[in-house]
Amino acid sequence: MKGYVKSVLENLNKKYYWEKEFLQAASEVLTSIKVLVENDPKYQAQSILERVVEPERTIIFRVPWMDDKGEFHVNTGYRVEFNSAIGPYKGGLRLHPTVTLGVLKFLGFEQVFKNSLTGLPMGGGKGGSDFDPKGKSDNEVMRFCQSFMSELFRHIGADTDVPAGDIGVGGREIGFLFGQYKKLKNVYEGVLTGKSLNWGGSLIRPEATGYGTVYFAEEMMKTKGEVFKNKKVLISGSGNVAQYAVEKCNEYGAKVITLSDSNGTILDTDGINAEKLQYVMDLKNCKRCRIKEYTGKYKSAKYFEGKKPWGIAKADIALPCATQNEVDGKDAKALVDNGCICVAEGANMPSTPEAIEVFLKKKILYGPGKAANAGGVATSGLEMSQNSMRLAWTREEVDNKLHAIMINIHKAAKQAAEEFGTPGNYVNGANIAGFRKVADSMIDQGLV
Ligand code: NDP
Ligand code: 2IT
């Protein structure tokens, strides 16, 4: 059995050599679970790794749409239905010009194990398009979403595949997508999560990923007798996840000093308090402006064009909440050299393998995305439960459930890391705990 992981990875690298993000994610997971799969013959006997790295189904389709001037455009739409061993495919839709099949395969693969960690019955999937919502009018976004759903509707359903938001997909887009699904299928069902409260959404779903990331970081810090209060925090991004991470940090008495977008970073050493956060929310969610505008209103802040938050100032905690590979080896070193004791990932795979190596070597608290940002999809799972029961839980009920789930994920990852001889290594712990349940379920269900 020795060499099983190596041989599967070699074949995968040959077969999909151009899908670099997917290969990066697969390499991390398979390397972590080596101690499990190479010490129990059932996994190789049933070709579990060869099966788990291949999506069950991938749908690729044309998305034609018309802009406000009447001109035609065409984008590519995707849905990667990766694994349904423990529940219907579940995972977000990303609208961003960098979207490729390889990016969505990495996200779908991560989602399989993340969803397993939540303890809820959800398989893994991801989808999206290379459409760029930036600079588009509401009507253009609506026409795009309607065209996208005109193909996707036949592949999804409340018990089949339940998409949600991700980069470039928030409440506005989920609304347009839901409207078109309902019109085409003539069923009112919880086929998407992240819906508005008036038509089947869950309280706390918008907040869930950011809050959950902070809850996870809090659990890691407890293991070292540390707390958020009075800590300085660097956050990247300024979208959904970043905004609610700031809110929870403020509630915990920490001081968030950075936010960013794909153009640059703002540093506000006075801290981004509740009033400033509200300004950021209006700026990004309603006016859809750049984060640079912040410095026009708050003179305490400085703007760094083309820079990321890491290394800009000393801080105790870093929460990358923008995108994949946004923290490289140099950034990680800068963070550690500046006294950072905890990194928790709100984004998916924001740290490169070199960055992860730095965090693990220096033994700082490092919470990988599939554990730390699982609060978003977990609360999507809670939205699905409420839709099935046709009732709505209070804000407090949902938040308590989310908090309990994050505490459980932390416990499961910590225990698995200890059981397999790498205490404190949440990468190994999260991958092993997430994988084991999916793989054992696949074995139970036979060769499918
Ligand atoms: P949003 O679209 O709301 O915000 C994304 C933010 O990240 C924006 O500030 C955006 O800046 C920035 N960003 C996007 N792409 C890049 C890039 N290539 N380089 C630098 N900055 C970039 O998305 P979310 O907040 O929902 O998602 C952020 C991350 O969290 C993603 O990795 C996503 O997969 C992950 N995630 C999201 C969950 C959710 O529930 N929404 C759940 C779990 C994980 P700009 O405006 O300039 O593009
Ligand atoms: O990466 C993620 O977990 C998400 N974008 C949320 C997925 C979901 O189904 O809520």
Side-chain angles (χ1 to χ4, degrees), residues 20-22 24-25 94 96-100 102-104 106-107 110 126 166-167 236 308 310 320-328 331 345-353 373:
K20 79 178 171 38
E21 292 88 357
F22 171 58
Q24 181 183 334
R94 177 176 289 192
H96 196 272
T98 56
V99 163
T100 59
V103 166
L104 296 177
F106 118 63
L107 289 162
E110 289 282 289
K126 201 85 185 190
D166 192 76
I167 291 177
S236 64
K308 299 183 280 184
W310 334 121
C321 296
T323 194
Q324 64 269 12
N325 292 327
E326 56 166 317
V327 184
D328 64 19
D331 298 327
E345 297 180 339
N348 285 305
M349 207 172 74
S351 304
T352 64
N373 73 37

Side-chain angles (χ1 to χ4, degrees), residues 5-22:
V5 163
K6 189 164 172 266
S7 94
V8 172
L9 278 176
E10 275 172 7
N11 287 335
L12 204 64
N13 273 280
K14 263 189 233 150
K15 191 168 171 189
Y16 297 115
Y17 59 90
W18 64 95
E19 292 180 347
K20 79 178 171 38
E21 292 88 357
F22 171 58

Side-chain angles (χ1 to χ4, degrees), residues 365-385:
L365 296 165
Y366 168 63
K370 72 170 69 63
N373 73 37
V377 74
T379 307
S380 279
L382 301 176
E383 183 172 331
M384 290 164 72
S385 304

Side-chain angles (χ1 to χ4, degrees), residues 94 134 166 168 205 209 238-241 261-262 290 322 347-348:
R94 177 176 289 192
K134 273 196 205 100
D166 192 76
R205 177 62 189 88
T209 313
S238 45
N240 172 264
V241 180
D261 61 23
S262 48
R290 304 284 75 208
N348 285 305

